Amino acid sequence: MNIVGISACTSGIAHTYIAKEKLIKAGQELGHKVRIETQGTIGIEDELTTKEIAEADLVIIAADIKVSGKERFLGKKIVEVPTHIAIKAPKQLYQKIDAELNKQ
Amino acid sequence: MKNEQIGECKVNMRIEELDFNKVVTEDLIELNLQGTTKEEVLNELTNLLFENGCISNKEGFIRDVMFRENEGVTGLEKGVAIPHGKSKHVLKTSIAIGRTNKFVEWESLDGNPINIIILFAVKDTDKTTIHIKLLQKVAVLLADEETISKFQTLQTKKEFLKILTEKD
C-alpha cells in the first residue's frame, strides 16, 4: 500500500520522531511505501505533498495532540492512533489495518 | 555547479558533527548511576547537567521534567527511558545519559523497569533548530533495537558516544 501519515507528540521532541521511524521501518518490512510528516516542536518537517496524499491508499495519524492540516485527507481512509502504539507495535498496527481493510 | 554543491554538503556535515559533541559529551554520561528510584536517577542526571553548565536551576528543571512525566509515559521498551524537560532553566540544549546498576521502576511501553535513561534538556527558547535536530537523531536511533541492545552491554562512555555519532 501507499501510506502517508503524520506523527506528533505532546512536547514534539522525541516520541514524534521515534514513531515516524518505526512506522517507516515496519511498513517497509511489510512491503508498504510509507511517508510520514512530523509536526514537532520545530514545526512541520517532511511535509506531505498533494501528490503523495492523492496517491495514498491510507492515512495514519500517530498523535497525542491535535494535528494540523487534517483537511488535506478529505475522502481518504484515516487510521488514528496514539504515538505509543506506533512505537511499541508498528507491525501489529499494520497487520490490524490490513485485517480491517480486508473485512470491508 | 555540481562541485560547488558537493563542497557545501561537506561543510554542513562538519558543522553538524561539531554540534553533536556540544549536545552530548562524555561529561554528560554516567554509566554507574546509584539511584534506585526515578526521582533519585533524575536528580543524579540533573546534577550532571548542572555541573556542566547546561541548566541554571536544578529544582526548577526537575519540576519541568516531572511535569512532562505526568503527561505521558516516557519509558520505551527494553529498559530505555527518555524523560525530557523543555524548560526556561535550561541554558544549553543537551542530553544527559545514564545507566543504573539496578533496574528502576518507571512507567514504560512494555511494562518493564528501566536502566538506561536518556534525559533531554531543551531550552525553552531554542530557536536554533540544529540542536533539536540532533535530539531527533538520538530519538531515531532509539527506534533501532540493535542500538538499544548495544546500550545495554557497552562498557565505556566513549563507546556510547560513538554509537550516537556514527550512525547517520
Side-chain angles (χ1 to χ4, degrees):
Chain A
M1 276 194 289
N2 253 331
I3 300 171
V4 296
I6 296 176
S7 65
C9 63
T10 322
S11 44
I13 292 167
H15 290 83
T16 301
Y17 306 98
I18 301 177
K20 174 192 173 185
E21 204 61 21
K22 290 262 190 170
L23 284 174
I24 290 176
K25 259 193 195 166
Q28 277 169 352
E29 279 171 36
L30 294 168
H32 301 307
K33 197 177 149 211
V34 186
R35 269 273 291 129
I36 303 287
E37 165 182 311
T38 51
Q39 298 186 3
T41 185
I42 52 172
I44 292 177
E45 287 174 283
D46 295 332
E47 189 168 357
L48 301 170
T49 65
T50 321
K51 185 166 175 277
E52 283 166 339
I53 295 171
E55 286 170 358
D57 307 301
L58 181 80
V59 179
I60 297 181
I61 297 177
D64 309 320
I65 52 167
K66 203 169 167 281
V67 299
S68 63
K70 244 168 133 177
E71 66 283 351
R72 290 174 291 171
F73 308 130
L74 206 71
K76 295 270 169 193
K77 286 196 187 82
I78 304 180
V79 176
E80 291 191 61
V81 292
T83 56
H84 71 85
I85 298 285
I87 293 173
K88 192 187 173 191
K91 268 197 182 157
Q92 287 90 322
L93 173 64
Y94 284 122
Q95 282 156 359
K96 204 172 163 209
I97 290 170
D98 265 341
E100 286 292 321
L101 289 178
N102 287 332
K103 248 193 245 169
Q104 288 173 3
Chain B
M1 188 63 192
K2 235 181 188 161
N3 279 338
E4 255 178 56
Q5 275 175 350
I6 291 168
E8 202 180 330
C9 189
K10 267 186 189 156
V11 170
N12 280 342
M13 276 170 67
R14 212 161 41 219
I15 291 169
E16 265 193 32
E17 217 174 336
L18 191 78
D19 268 35
F20 206 102
N21 296 328
K22 279 187 190 165
V23 174
V24 58
T25 63
E26 278 189 48
D27 294 335
L28 291 173
I29 300 177
E30 175 55 65
L31 296 179
N32 202 17
L33 288 177
Q34 303 297 317
T36 54
T37 64
K38 187 197 253 191
E39 284 69 27
E40 285 171 11
V41 167
L42 285 175
N43 268 325
E44 278 178 86
L45 289 174
T46 300
N47 278 336
L48 273 189
L49 288 167
F50 187 72
E51 284 161 14
N52 285 282
C54 304
I55 56 172
S56 59
N57 178 317
K58 286 193 238 181
E59 289 73 27
F61 175 69
I62 287 193
R63 222 174 15 247
D64 289 332
V65 171
M66 289 314 289
F67 176 79
R68 172 61 185 83
E69 285 298 307
N70 293 329
E71 280 192 319
V73 173
T74 60
L76 300 171
E77 297 167 280
K78 299 190 167 60
V80 179
I82 43 164
H84 37 291
K86 195 173 179 180
S87 166
K88 64 170 191 251
H89 305 292
V90 174
L91 300 170
K92 210 177 88 190
T93 293
S94 320
I95 304 173
I97 298 172
R99 194 165 70 192
T100 59
N101 292 324
K102 284 186 189 142
F103 278 85
V104 173
E105 279 304 314
W106 200 302
E107 305 79 24
S108 68
L109 292 183
D110 63 2
N112 288 328
I114 296 299
N115 74 327
I116 291 170
I117 301 94
I118 301 181
L119 174 59
F120 291 63
V122 181
K123 206 171 157 182
D124 210 8
T125 52
D126 210 339
K127 296 279 183 251
T128 49
T129 56
I130 183 95
H131 286 133
I132 312 273
K133 290 236 181 217
L134 293 165
L135 300 189
Q136 277 178 23
K137 270 198 198 166
V138 175
V140 167
L141 283 176
L142 297 175
D144 181 40
E145 290 188 5
E146 211 179 294
T147 304
I148 291 183
S149 53
K150 277 186 199 157
F151 284 169
Q152 291 290 2
T153 51
L154 54 78
Q155 296 298 322
T156 65
K157 299 178 183 186
K158 265 208 174 63
E159 286 173 71
F160 226 115
L161 272 187
K162 208 175 147 210
I163 293 178
L164 291 175
T165 47
E166 78 186 355
K167 275 202 185 179
D168 207 350

